[in-house]
Amino acid sequence: MLIRGLRVLGVAVREQPRIFAAAVGGSVLFSLLVIANAYVVGWIVGTVVVPAFQDGRLEVGLVAGSAAALLGISGLRVVGIFGRRLGAGYMQFRLQAAYRRRVTGRYLELPLAWHHRNATGTLLSNANSDVEAAWYPIAPLPFAVGTLVMLVAAVGSLFVTDWVLAMVGLTVFPALFALNVVYSRRMAPRQARAQRMRAEVSAIAHESFDGALVIKTMGREAQETTRFAERAGELRDSLISVGRLRGAFDPLLETLPSVGTLAVLVVGAFRLRDGAISVTELVSVAFLFTVLAFPVRAIGWVLAELPRSVAGWDRVQAVLTATGQMRYGDAELDRAGGAPAALTFDEVDFGYEPADAATTSPRVLDEVSFEVPAGRTVALVGPTGSGKSTIASLAVRLVDPDNGAVRLDGVDVRTLTAGSLSATTALVAQVPFVFDDTVRANIALDRPGISDDDVWAALRLAEAAGFVAALPDGLDTMVGERGTSLSGGQRQRLTLARALAGRPRLLVLDDATSAVDPRVEAAILASLRGSSAGGAAASILVVAYRRATIALADEVVYVERGRVVARGTHPELLATVTGYADLVTAYEKAEAERGRDDDPNLVDFGAEVTR
């Protein structure tokens, strides 16, 4: 644990060498002045105080000189303390900020499959409490390094003064280090468990807050409170265990320097009686041991925090070294004129990585092949779990196929640059996500070249201009966290406008209009077929269920169990594919039943859709 902890500290020093050097410089200045102060005090006692008691008179010049010396040393010590604390704090906070950025950046680089295996609360803990824990020992580190210099200088001065007293010091300091080593070994598993429990508590809290609607509507408040309380209780017990161990060792760490001072006084008294040392030397050594008690604790602070630091560092490194980063190529697509892009799936196979590495994941897609010709609209239809959302994710390269290829304008998407891919495609997902910001910011997303005119054009295409214009502040209206001030249909249209504002050449709609009524949905799709926010019409791949939506498509691709079963126009599939006809008809019946209040057959139609 000590070696691993020192390696973490080594990383910190290598990343912030100048700040560390400045902080250590202040600490060394302070440490050397502590030793100097001890010998000045000894000189004052032996030269000024003792003679004054013996002769009954006080030398004003000596007193003034002594006061000036003490004030001068104190002033320089203040400079050292200021430099040490400022440098240590600056170094610690810079490291924490840098690693929060690295962890967050890594989150954005890792594919969705990795995120599916890690709870959001755990990821929040990695970027917050784990980063803080990793660099917690940085605050006392410069002080501890300065203290090591102080100890070397102190032991050297002790040998110069009297070798017997020096040997007393040499027995105290190793005892301190040995005690800290034992402490670190026992603390390590406790700190690791505490960090793990912090992440679990954070994960449960995030899940409960995110699912507040479900919890309340299902009457699960008491159960969720109990679940959170159990984990919080385990975290409490872990922290109490840490506190108990610290409470047992801290008094020992406090006592050892005091025992050393007492031993110096006892041994020094005998040495003084034998004439081996003078009063000045005895006072200097005793005072030195007294003032060393607090600085020596800085080493204990560093050693005490190393287990927590290592636990946090391991969890941070698990993110930074995670595999699965999506690599991009250097190919660019020609955007001249903004012509629609052609999408091709060529015998694509795909299976999600299982959460447990020991298990095998079933294949989600199997030899999927179809095309979305440039400027055309293709509807993707299939029962729940047939792989439609996976196909949508593959189209915009949120995931990569296990076999086969996905191509845009004949170019494998894996060879494209990240900028070219994001400029060409846009995905509007099933669940709309709206930032806690203004309408304008949610649509523009600080993308260059998107003016207010572009924003309004996108809103009109998404059939959202009317309700946005009616908002209190129009485009400047704050929509709240996740768009809580908007209805579900409004959020969907806002996210659709966001995608359209970027003038994509391929638009992928994954059931993106499910919360709007069929009339508005038909109007949206009709608008999309004709224009794309001021540019040419985009190619559209739409995951659809409603007959009106499907009928607007140039072609329908019907999938079952991860395979393309049939392709053709809506009337063709309705007449020739039984599964397709059953699915579309069942959905229409369910839609009709939703329009009738208190109809007892609604549950039956829901069961039919599920079947």
Side-chain angles (χ1 to χ4, degrees), residues 66-86:
S66 300
L70 291 175
L71 287 174
I73 290 175
S74 298
L76 291 174
R77 287 174 65 184
V78 169
V79 173
I81 292 172
F82 179 78
R84 181 194 76 218
R85 290 190 173 181
L86 180 64

Side-chain angles (χ1 to χ4, degrees), residues 91-102 131 135:
M91 180 179 177
Q92 182 183 33
F93 298 139
R94 277 177 64 93
L95 285 167
Q96 289 177 353
Y99 272 80
R100 283 194 180 99
R101 289 193 295 268
R102 291 183 191 180
V131 169
W135 303 123

Side-chain angles (χ1 to χ4, degrees), residues 119-398:
T120 303
T122 300
L123 302 186
L124 291 173
S125 180
N126 291 149
N128 187 27
S129 63
D130 289 335
V131 169
E132 286 186 0
W135 303 123
Y136 203 81
I138 299 302
L141 179 61
F143 195 9
V145 174
T147 300
L148 288 175
V149 175
M150 180 196 298
L151 291 178
V152 173
V155 171
S157 63
L158 286 176
F159 272 105
V160 171
T161 302
D162 183 63
W163 71 269
V164 176
L165 296 181
M167 295 304 296
V168 174
L170 288 178
T171 58
V172 172
F173 297 141
L176 278 172
F177 287 114
L179 185 62
N180 274 294
V181 168
V182 174
Y183 173 74
S184 297
R185 288 180 177 176
R186 295 194 176 184
M187 181 62 78
R190 290 172 170 82
Q191 289 285 16
R193 174 173 169 76
Q195 285 300 115
R196 186 172 64 255
M197 294 310 305
R198 282 188 178 97
E200 291 187 16
V201 168
S202 177
I204 293 176
H206 181 273
E207 190 175 52
S208 297
F209 299 152
D210 222 27
L213 179 62
V214 175
I215 292 170
K216 287 185 173 296
T217 55
M218 301 298 292
R220 302 293 296 174
E221 294 93 339
Q223 289 81 358
E224 281 299 303
T225 301
T226 301
R227 187 165 74 105
F228 181 82
E230 289 175 354
R231 286 293 184 273
E234 292 182 28
L235 174 59
R236 174 203 62 206
D237 295 340
S238 297
L239 294 176
I240 288 175
S241 177
V242 169
R244 283 175 176 169
L245 186 62
R246 184 168 289 169
F249 274 84
D250 276 358
L252 296 176
L253 295 173
E254 290 273 7
T255 302
L256 273 178
S258 300
V259 171
T261 302
L262 181 61
V264 164
L265 288 174
V266 172
V267 175
F270 286 102
R271 299 288 289 170
L272 179 64
R273 184 192 63 182
D274 297 337
I277 59 174
S278 65
V279 172
T280 298
E281 292 171 330
L282 177 58
V283 172
S284 297
V285 172
F287 186 79
L288 181 61
F289 265 83
T290 301
V291 297
L292 278 177
F294 178 74
V296 165
R297 288 214 64 203
I299 300 174
W301 294 335
V302 173
L303 295 176
E305 294 298 336
L306 285 185
R308 180 182 177 187
S309 175
V310 170
W313 175 255
D314 288 345
R315 293 173 62 84
V316 169
Q317 285 300 110
V319 175
L320 297 180
T321 60
T323 58
Q325 179 178 350
M326 188 168 285
R327 301 188 181 278
Y328 294 91
D330 53 9
E332 296 275 356
L333 292 177
D334 184 12
R335 294 201 68 195
L343 173 69
T344 304
F345 273 65
D346 186 6
E347 296 187 348
V348 170
D349 297 337
F350 181 80
Y352 287 102
E353 295 182 21
D356 184 1
T359 62
T360 58
S361 178
R363 191 169 295 280
V364 178
L365 299 179
D366 189 11
E367 296 184 354
V368 170
S369 297
F370 69 91
E371 296 179 4
V372 179
R376 311 292 280 178
T377 299
V378 173
L380 193 62
V381 181
T384 301
S386 58
K388 302 182 299 297
S389 293
T390 302
I391 291 174
S393 297
L394 284 162
V396 296
R397 210 197 165 198
L398 291 179

Side-chain angles (χ1 to χ4, degrees), residues 570-587:
H570 171 62
E572 291 172 351
L573 298 189
L574 201 61
T576 59
V577 182
T578 303
Y580 176 82
D582 290 344
L583 182 68
V584 174
T585 304
Y587 184 80

